Amino acid sequence: MSKIYWRAIPLNDPARSEGAQKIAGGWLWFDRVEKLTRGAAPGIVPLSEVPADVLAQITAPRPDLAGLNLSAPRVMAILNTTPDSFSDGGKFSEREEAISRARALAAVSDILDIGGESTRPGADLIARGEEIARTKPVIAALRHEGLTIPISIDTRKSHVADAALEAGADLINDVTAMEFDPAMASLAASSQAALCLMHMRGTPETMNGEAVYDDVLLDVYDYLEARRDAALAAGVRPDRILLDPGIGFAKTAEHNLALTARLSLFHTLGCPILYGASRKRFVGTIGQEPVAAERLGGSLAVHLAAVAQGAQVIRVHDAAQMTQALRLWQAIATA
């Protein structure tokens, strides 16, 4: 029997149906579900036709994660301490500059994501010692001066993650979903840190040639389901898992659009969703802006579209502008 996938269809106006329910206990309602199977046309069904366990997965409120209440969308601010980031390479690679930037971001965001290795297409692998030297002292300094905002370490290496957790990080953001370094699973389980699992194919050096899918939406769903289950089997608590479809990682512009348009499918996995498309190539391609740092307008548009599909965490470079846009979006949505 073919596997069935169930995607909650967000409502623009919850008053349309008395039977509408909330998606993940958050800010969106739904009263219908898109029923998907491979090789068949999708169908729209009422909630009464959705299996009870599936409906429970979609509607259950997501517990607080890394200190974040997820009943409203949260902004994750990007801090790259790398000299070769695609969008702001070298700006914050010096320690004092990185710490100063982190303070500014903390004032306008809900969580900081600090990374010491670029994962842009074509980026080279760096030694874990160098990555630790770029990230751990920044995290330690922020905690020493009393900064309490949750901090995420963006790394695929367990030694780097361990050092960051020791310095005061709360979440491991692994773009390889524990596949680059299998020890990441046991570290997350033993430390009880939150863990973000992202979809990608290949490595930063090879991923541009890996963007081939039978059905990108369902293929990414199956992958994240399998990696979630691997984390659970390793002892990671279900309330500490965050899932990311990996926008821009081994994906064409068309793939990124398909995932964004039907992002609400991933609520069926029962975990909060992280969406990160800030300044990425497809934003520039569609928005006709070749300079990454000038893609604010397009970045705001795609992240608000993700929030309209229920993404709980949005990962951005321009945190102040995204926070402002979110305030307006939420004010209109709840007016």
Side-chain angles (χ1 to χ4, degrees):
M1 184 176 178
S2 297
K3 182 175 180 178
I4 299 174
Y5 304 79
W6 308 88
R7 184 183 76 87
I9 302 175
L11 286 169
N12 292 324
D13 183 355
R16 291 180 182 178
S17 169
E18 292 184 0
Q21 297 195 43
K22 278 192 171 183
I23 296 175
W27 55 95
L28 295 176
W29 297 77
F30 73 114
D31 62 0
R32 298 173 301 156
V33 171
E34 186 177 28
K35 186 177 179 181
L36 301 162
T37 55
R38 291 182 183 271
I44 307 299
V45 301
L47 301 191
S48 59
E49 293 189 23
V50 181
D53 59 334
V54 172
L55 196 60
Q57 287 277 81
I58 297 172
T59 59
R62 304 306 184 234
D64 291 2
L65 183 121
L68 296 178
N69 181 286
L70 299 178
S71 61
R74 302 299 174 191
V75 173
M76 174 184 275
I78 299 167
L79 177 60
N80 291 314
T81 63
T82 61
D84 59 343
S85 170
F86 80 97
S87 64
D88 54 9
K91 278 191 177 182
F92 312 111
S93 57
E94 296 298 325
R95 187 173 304 172
E96 290 307 315
E97 292 173 342
I99 293 170
S100 176
R101 175 63 173 168
R103 292 191 199 105
L105 290 173
V108 293
S109 59
D110 300 296
I111 180 171
L112 297 177
D113 189 43
I114 299 177
E117 178 184 58
S118 177
T119 51
R120 61 177 173 78
D124 295 326
L125 180 72
I126 68 167
R128 68 191 188 194
E130 183 177 357
E131 193 176 346
I132 290 171
R134 291 176 180 177
T135 54
K136 182 178 180 180
V138 174
I139 297 168
L142 294 172
R143 291 304 188 216
H144 179 73
E145 64 184 46
L147 195 73
T148 58
I149 187 171
I151 293 176
S152 163
I153 177 66
D154 179 4
T155 185
R156 48 183 164 163
K157 305 184 185 85
S158 62
H159 286 84
V160 178
D162 192 27
L165 295 176
E166 182 182 349
D170 307 280
L171 184 148
I172 303 165
N173 184 10
D174 185 351
V175 299
T176 72
M178 311 179 300
E179 291 205 285
F180 178 83
D181 184 349
M184 194 71 87
S186 59
L187 173 64
S190 62
S191 67
Q192 297 192 21
L195 176 65
C196 183
L197 304 171
M198 194 193 83
H199 174 276
M200 72 177 296
R201 283 183 169 176
T203 66
E205 300 94 328
T206 67
M207 65 182 173
N208 276 347
E210 300 277 350
V212 180
Y213 300 90
D214 292 329
D215 182 312
V216 68
L217 183 69
L218 304 187
D219 289 354
V220 172
Y221 180 98
D222 286 347
Y223 176 87
L224 290 178
E225 182 178 42
R227 300 316 295 160
R228 178 205 64 184
D229 291 347
L232 293 172
V236 180
R237 284 171 36 183
D239 61 339
R240 294 184 181 273
I241 298 174
L242 182 66
L243 302 176
D244 178 353
I247 299 297
F249 286 80
K251 297 172 185 74
T252 65
E254 290 75 17
H255 294 147
N256 294 324
L257 292 174
L259 288 165
T260 303
R262 283 185 160 92
L263 190 70
S264 60
L265 171 69
F266 299 101
H267 294 297
T268 312
L269 291 171
C271 298
I273 300 166
L274 183 148
Y275 179 93
S278 184
R279 303 182 181 178
K280 291 194 174 177
R281 181 182 301 172
F282 88 102
V283 175
T285 299
I286 297 170
Q288 300 179 24
E289 176 51 71
V291 180
E294 299 299 322
R295 295 171 185 166
L296 173 61
S299 296
L300 292 176
V302 293
H303 286 93
L304 288 178
V307 169
Q309 289 282 315
Q312 286 92 350
V313 182
I314 47 178
R315 182 180 181 272
V316 299
H317 295 87
D318 303 290
Q321 294 88 340
M322 189 71 249
T323 296
Q324 183 183 117
L326 262 183
R327 287 172 180 158
L328 271 294
W329 185 91
Q330 289 176 283
I332 293 167
T334 58

